[in-house]
Amino acid sequence: MADSEKAAKVVEALKAAEREPPQTALPMLNGLIGLVQGEADQPLEIEEARSSAFMAICEVGKALHRGQPADRLWASAIDAAERWRSLAG
């Protein structure tokens, strides 16, 4: 699967998970791990965007796990994933 397809799936999953309660959203986020793993021979700009999306998703997961507000974190994660998608596409 191409990076652009992975990024599109991540964006879609993040938007769906954002609407769910934390106990449902956390497993959805965990399911994204395979999609946000890096691949060899990617241009640096795409790899940095993918990495930023991964880190933003981790921040959302940590906040949900700790019962902290995640509204702004969702927006950051979605923005990072959309940036990755735009660069990879």
Side-chain angles (χ1 to χ4, degrees):
M1 181 182 312
D3 250 24
S4 59
E5 294 171 306
K6 289 180 182 181
K9 286 184 181 273
V10 169
V11 170
E12 182 180 309
L14 285 171
K15 288 180 178 180
E18 182 181 23
R19 296 185 296 265
E20 298 294 334
Q23 66 271 19
T24 304
L26 275 170
M28 293 171 78
L29 294 179
N30 287 337
L32 298 177
I33 298 300
L35 294 174
V36 293
Q37 290 178 332
E39 295 180 10
D41 301 327
Q42 291 294 324
L44 182 59
E45 188 175 45
I46 293 173
E47 184 58 25
E48 286 177 342
R50 182 210 53 80
S51 180
S52 292
F54 175 77
M55 294 304 295
I57 292 166
C58 289
E59 290 300 316
V60 172
K62 286 192 304 186
L64 293 177
H65 182 73
R66 295 175 179 161
Q68 298 172 336
D71 293 343
R72 289 186 0 211
L73 297 173
W74 281 112
S76 295
I78 292 168
D79 287 348
E82 287 177 339
R83 181 174 184 274
W84 174 34
R85 180 177 61 183
S86 72
L87 290 172

